[in-house]
Structure formats: structure tokens, C-alpha cells
Amino acid sequence: VQLQASGGGLVLAGGSLRLSCAASGNIFRIHEMGWYRQAPGKQRELVATVMSGGSTNYADSVKGRFTISRDNAKNTVYLQMLSPKPEDTAVYYCNAYARTYYDSSSRNYWGQGTLVTVSS
């Protein structure tokens, strides 16, 4: 499974930005898709996840500001970032817990990361 993220860049605090991540390959099923981020000098952390059925989970730090959504037909996950703050600056990584037609079980896949810089 290949994950291609896009949409990162420079955004002003209080603005908006939308990240996209499309999964491709011999996909049998994608159970969960999500976004993680890693700021300089910090560990990678969860931002938000969405299950195939639509249930979502958010880090407390982004609740009420970020919205994760998913288009199962397109194997694509989105992260709408509203009112971002400078502390949201990080490399954002797309994640999918998925199974291909060649695998007997599911595993985690990661995208290449996209840099989001929030300027005050």
C-alpha cells in the first residue's frame, strides 16, 4: 500500500488548511486511516483517526479545530485544519491500517510526510 499525502505548506495562525492522503496498491481492505505528526525534537503523536465505518478519534489538542474525514471509494483521508496554532507546526504523516490481497493479515503503512508550518 502506498500513501501519498499532499496539502501541506505555510498557513497563518487562525487560517485554514486541508491535508489529503490517497492510498493505492493492491488494497483488500483499509480498516483505519489517520494522521500523526512530529514536531522538531519531539516524538510522533496521534492527531486523528477515522475507521472505515466513520467513527473518529482526536487528540485533545486538536479537538474542535481539526476534522478528519474519509472517502472510502477513493481510499482517501482528509484533515481539515481550522484555526491552526504555531504549536501545530510539524511534519504530518498519513497512516493506514490495511490489508492487501497478498497479505494474510493487516499492517500499518505510512506516507512520506508533509510539512505544515503555522506562522503567527
Side-chain angles (χ1 to χ4, degrees), residues 33-34 37 43 66 72 78 82 101 112:
M33 300 188 81
R37 68 186 180 187
Q43 291 187 332
F66 292 6
N72 289 329
Y78 307 95
L82 295 178
Y101 285 100
Q112 83 284 7

Side-chain angles (χ1 to χ4, degrees), residues 5-98:
S6 60
L10 177 64
V11 61
L12 291 177
S16 66
L17 193 68
R18 190 174 86 151
L19 306 181
S20 300
C21 176
S24 62
N26 293 298
I27 300 170
F28 175 71
R29 181 174 295 159
I30 302 178
H31 304 281
E32 181 181 89
M33 300 188 81
W35 292 95
Y36 291 72
R37 68 186 180 187
Q38 186 167 18
K42 296 187 177 182
Q43 291 187 332
R44 189 175 299 187
E45 63 177 7
L46 167 75
V47 177
T49 60
V50 57
M51 301 297 290
S52 57
S55 60
T56 58
N57 180 48
Y58 293 93
D60 289 342
S61 59
V62 306
K63 281 181 181 177
R65 300 187 298 119
F66 292 6
T67 301
I68 190 170
S69 61
R70 175 174 172 174
D71 186 331
N72 289 329
K74 296 181 179 180
N75 289 329
T76 300
V77 63
Y78 307 95
L79 184 70
Q80 180 69 54
M81 305 170 64
L82 295 178
S83 299
K85 305 174 182 179
E87 51 264 43
D88 294 319
T89 295
V91 176
Y92 283 70
Y93 295 93
C94 175
N95 170 269
Y97 184 66

